[in-house]
Amino acid sequence: MNIQEASRRRSERVWMGVVAVASGLVFTVLGFLVAVLVMGAIGFAAQHGLVHTLLGARWQPLAGRLQIGLFIVDSALVTALAMLLALPFGIAVAIFGSLVAGAWERTVLRWILTLASAVPSVAYGWWGLAVVVPGIRGLGLGAGYGLVSAGLVLALMILPTFSVLAWEAILAVPEDWHQTSLALGANDDQNIIRLVLPASMAGLQTAFLTALARAVGETMAVQMVLGGAVSHFYGLFGPGATLTTQILTDMAVLPVGSPNHGVLDFMALVLFLGVTLMTGTMGRQVRGRGRP
Amino acid sequence: MMKSGKHLQRLASVATLAAMVTLLWVIIALCREGLMHWHWWVLWRRPRELKAGGGLGPELINTLSMVALAECLSLPLGLATAIWLGEAKLPRRVREGLDGFFISFQSIPAIVVGLVAFEVLVGYFHWPLSVATGTLALTVLNVPQVVVFSRQAMAAVPDAWREGSLALGATALETVWRMVLPASLFALVDQLGLSFARLAGESALLIFTAGLNVGPHWGWFQPGETLAVHLWQVRTEGLMPDRAALAAETGIVLLAITALAIFGSKVWSLRLKAYQSGPGGGGP
């Protein structure tokens, strides 16, 4: 081994070390983040009781009544509403984009979806305040601030993400399969129902779960139109509060170091575990690549 | 025999049209409202809390500087982690587990990161609500995204190319540096624009880390309200008489930054790809 070769080996080791240290830092910070949440949440749950906190619906943070059941229900309702609305439209966009649209339409559609998926959530919230809230009020369905308004805004917000992922899932169906299906005499409807949707089901599920995770975690767009009622359930058109919006609201009410601050960690951990469960059930997106 | 059944396709076309019209409605309504009252001076004037005629100069500077700094911190860290994940001698199970860890972190609600950043930086280290706190929180939010998109971009480079490079005598890192990274650069640049746009639009994370005010001048520990936070604050609890117009104007500036970041990175990425493929050359 000559000197040049030895120095190459050494620089390889040094750089591998640099890369390892940088990723070690990343793992430490993210692990620390989870640890902070878990510690805070355990401290809180030990004091107030797990079941009591999760299933109760009384929220008076300054009086020490800290039960988050209502927020979980509201989070679930708003998210379910958003997904129910976004699902059919998202799949329609994916089918149109991959099977129906010509080159020109496809480009326009792609651009709109890309831009819309990057539009800030406060902009969707702004639209909710400007259009959805007055609209629902105009229909005589209450003040306009409420779970349904939040679900509508949220549905629109996750639609671009869901459509793009679903589109890619459908594109992954091999062209040969389409040809075979059509050659067997299937018409376009039968092709979609019997071939395209079943064949891309795994990808569609991934798209659905990704959009679901994003919907559950969204704060601002929901907060702006939700109304923020914490005391009891006012129905679908009535105001409410989700886990995310209530963390935001009560960061000022329960500052760090105050005795009941741990409930915020608890709520954040519930959110994080929920989202991890959703993404954890997804198929592998990035395939692990070993050394060749 | 039934004439071509195209009911589903027609249904999909109509639904797509409806969805696109509604999405464009959001963008156009905001632009219309903002352009009706547009004043160029909002770009440099300072905000006013109670009087009309305030601008968003400091918010604009905060947004651009914080997002740029957060990218500068999170890109090298995320890329290094992605390279390590690809090149370190890890059992297959461990590698897949770590990839899964980042994928679930990619969907972590921003408010959760914001809460922990608030507890640690503000609560424990007693940093003020400031540019520095907000930038670090944005960095933590962005790193998992960078790891995931870098892994995907690098995984798209064919294995045969890696084998060729190794067969020519290059080491693993030389292969990454001289071949894998250049070959996936266009994909990384493309994602960079989306990531910049996403951070610029972030608000939940910044309310309790960067704060709702701006300082007399830019500084690490000056309050660091950004455009997205400003839009939220003005629209929900603003007291200035021209708040409706100001919120929409803030929205326009924010949308312009978002669109420029995405469009710019797309153009750059396409040019890179064209340059790499070259006349007669082959790219991934």
Coordinates of all heavy atoms in Angstrom, one line a residue, chain B residues 117-147:
Chain B
A117 N -39.6 22.8 22.1 CA -38.6 23.9 21.9 C -38.9 24.9 23.0 O -37.9 25.5 23.6 CB -38.7 24.5 20.5
F118 N -40.1 25.2 23.2 CA -40.5 26.2 24.2 C -40.1 25.8 25.6 O -39.5 26.5 26.3 CB -42.0 26.4 24.1 CG -42.6 27.3 25.1 CD1 -42.3 28.7 25.1 CD2 -43.5 26.9 26.1 CE1 -42.8 29.5 26.1 CE2 -44.1 27.7 27.0 CZ -43.7 29.1 27.0
E119 N -40.3 24.5 25.9 CA -40.0 24.0 27.2 C -38.5 24.0 27.5 O -38.0 24.4 28.5 CB -40.5 22.6 27.4 CG -42.0 22.5 27.6 CD -42.5 21.1 27.5 OE1 -41.8 20.2 27.2 OE2 -43.7 20.9 27.8
V120 N -37.7 23.6 26.4 CA -36.3 23.4 26.6 C -35.6 24.8 26.5 O -34.8 25.2 27.4 CB -35.7 22.4 25.6 CG1 -34.2 22.4 25.7 CG2 -36.3 21.0 25.9
L121 N -35.8 25.5 25.4 CA -35.0 26.7 25.1 C -35.5 27.9 26.0 O -34.7 28.6 26.6 CB -35.1 27.1 23.6 CG -34.4 26.0 22.7 CD1 -34.7 26.4 21.2 CD2 -33.0 25.9 23.0
V122 N -36.8 28.0 26.0 CA -37.3 29.2 26.7 C -37.5 28.9 28.2 O -37.0 29.6 29.1 CB -38.7 29.6 26.2 CG1 -39.2 30.8 26.9 CG2 -38.6 29.9 24.7
G123 N -38.0 27.7 28.5 CA -38.3 27.3 29.9 C -37.0 27.0 30.7 O -36.8 27.5 31.8
Y124 N -36.1 26.2 30.1 CA -35.0 25.7 30.8 C -33.7 26.6 30.6 O -33.1 27.0 31.6 CB -34.6 24.3 30.3 CG -33.5 23.6 31.2 CD1 -33.8 23.1 32.4 CD2 -32.2 23.6 30.7 CE1 -32.8 22.6 33.2 CE2 -31.2 23.0 31.5 CZ -31.5 22.5 32.7 OH -30.5 22.0 33.5
F125 N -33.5 27.0 29.4 CA -32.3 27.8 29.1 C -32.6 29.3 29.2 O -31.7 30.1 29.1 CB -31.7 27.5 27.8 CG -31.0 26.2 27.7 CD1 -31.5 25.1 27.0 CD2 -29.8 26.0 28.4 CE1 -30.9 23.9 27.0 CE2 -29.2 24.7 28.4 CZ -29.7 23.7 27.7
H126 N -33.8 29.7 29.4 CA -34.2 31.1 29.5 C -33.8 31.9 28.3 O -33.5 33.1 28.5 CB -33.7 31.7 30.8 CG -34.2 31.0 32.0 ND1 -35.6 31.1 32.4 CD2 -33.6 30.2 32.9 CE1 -35.8 30.3 33.5 NE2 -34.6 29.8 33.8
W127 N -33.9 31.3 27.1 CA -33.8 32.2 25.9 C -35.0 33.0 25.8 O -36.1 32.5 26.1 CB -33.6 31.3 24.7 CG -32.2 30.7 24.5 CD1 -31.3 30.6 25.5 CD2 -31.6 30.2 23.4 NE1 -30.2 29.9 25.0 CE2 -30.3 29.7 23.7 CE3 -32.1 30.0 22.0 CZ2 -29.5 29.1 22.8 CZ3 -31.3 29.4 21.1 CH2 -30.0 29.0 21.5
P128 N -34.9 34.2 25.2 CA -36.2 34.9 25.0 C -36.9 34.4 23.7 O -36.3 33.6 23.0 CB -35.7 36.3 24.7 CG -34.3 36.2 24.2 CD -33.7 34.9 24.9
L129 N -38.2 34.7 23.6 CA -38.9 34.4 22.3 C -38.2 35.2 21.2 O -38.2 36.4 21.2 CB -40.3 34.8 22.3 CG -41.2 34.1 23.4 CD1 -42.6 34.5 23.2 CD2 -41.0 32.6 23.4
S130 N -37.4 34.6 20.4 CA -36.5 35.3 19.5 C -36.2 34.6 18.2 O -36.6 33.5 18.0 CB -35.2 35.5 20.3 OG -34.6 34.2 20.5
V131 N -35.5 35.3 17.3 CA -35.0 34.8 16.1 C -34.2 33.5 16.3 O -34.5 32.5 15.6 CB -34.1 35.8 15.4 CG1 -33.4 35.2 14.2 CG2 -34.9 37.0 15.0
A132 N -33.3 33.4 17.3 CA -32.5 32.3 17.5 C -33.4 31.1 17.9 O -33.2 30.0 17.4 CB -31.5 32.5 18.6
T133 N -34.3 31.3 18.8 CA -35.2 30.2 19.3 C -36.0 29.6 18.2 O -36.1 28.4 18.0 CB -36.1 30.7 20.4 OG1 -35.3 31.5 21.3 CG2 -36.7 29.6 21.2
G134 N -36.6 30.6 17.4 CA -37.4 30.1 16.3 C -36.6 29.4 15.2 O -37.1 28.4 14.7
T135 N -35.4 29.9 14.9 CA -34.6 29.2 13.9 C -34.2 27.8 14.4 O -34.3 26.8 13.5 CB -33.3 30.0 13.7 OG1 -33.6 31.3 13.4 CG2 -32.4 29.4 12.6
L136 N -33.9 27.6 15.6 CA -33.6 26.3 16.1 C -34.8 25.3 16.0 O -34.7 24.2 15.6 CB -33.1 26.3 17.5 CG -31.6 26.6 17.7 CD1 -31.1 26.3 19.1 CD2 -30.8 25.6 16.8
A137 N -36.0 25.9 16.4 CA -37.2 25.1 16.3 C -37.5 24.7 14.9 O -37.8 23.5 14.6 CB -38.4 25.8 16.9
L138 N -37.3 25.6 13.9 CA -37.5 25.3 12.5 C -36.5 24.2 12.1 O -36.8 23.3 11.3 CB -37.3 26.6 11.6 CG -38.4 27.6 11.6 CD1 -38.0 28.8 10.8 CD2 -39.7 27.0 11.1
T139 N -35.3 24.3 12.5 CA -34.3 23.3 12.2 C -34.7 21.9 12.6 O -34.6 21.0 11.8 CB -32.9 23.7 12.8 OG1 -32.6 25.0 12.4 CG2 -31.8 22.8 12.3
V140 N -35.1 21.8 13.8 CA -35.5 20.5 14.3 C -36.7 20.0 13.5 O -36.7 18.8 13.2 CB -35.9 20.6 15.8 CG1 -36.5 19.3 16.3 CG2 -34.7 21.0 16.7
L141 N -37.6 20.8 13.2 CA -38.8 20.4 12.4 C -38.3 19.9 11.0 O -38.9 19.0 10.4 CB -39.8 21.6 12.2 CG -41.1 21.2 11.5 CD1 -41.9 20.4 12.3 CD2 -41.8 22.5 11.1
N142 N -37.3 20.6 10.4 CA -36.9 20.3 9.0 C -36.0 19.1 8.9 O -36.0 18.5 7.8 CB -36.2 21.6 8.5 CG -36.3 21.6 7.0 OD1 -37.2 21.2 6.3 ND2 -35.2 22.1 6.4
V143 N -35.2 18.8 9.9 CA -34.2 17.8 9.7 C -34.8 16.4 9.2 O -34.3 15.9 8.2 CB -33.3 17.6 11.0 CG1 -32.6 16.3 10.9 CG2 -32.3 18.7 11.1
P144 N -35.8 16.0 9.9 CA -36.4 14.7 9.4 C -36.9 14.7 8.0 O -36.7 13.8 7.2 CB -37.6 14.4 10.4 CG -37.3 15.3 11.6 CD -36.5 16.4 11.1
Q145 N -37.4 15.9 7.6 CA -37.9 16.0 6.2 C -36.6 15.9 5.2 O -36.7 15.2 4.2 CB -38.5 17.4 5.9 CG -39.3 17.9 7.0 CD -40.7 17.6 6.9 OE1 -41.2 17.1 5.9 NE2 -41.5 17.7 8.0
V146 N -35.5 16.5 5.6 CA -34.3 16.5 4.8 C -33.8 15.1 4.7 O -33.5 14.6 3.6 CB -33.3 17.4 5.3 CG1 -32.0 17.3 4.5 CG2 -33.8 18.9 5.3
V147 N -33.8 14.4 5.8 CA -33.3 13.0 5.8 C -34.1 12.1 4.9 O -33.6 11.4 4.0 CB -33.4 12.4 7.3 CG1 -33.0 10.9 7.2 CG2 -32.4 13.2 8.2

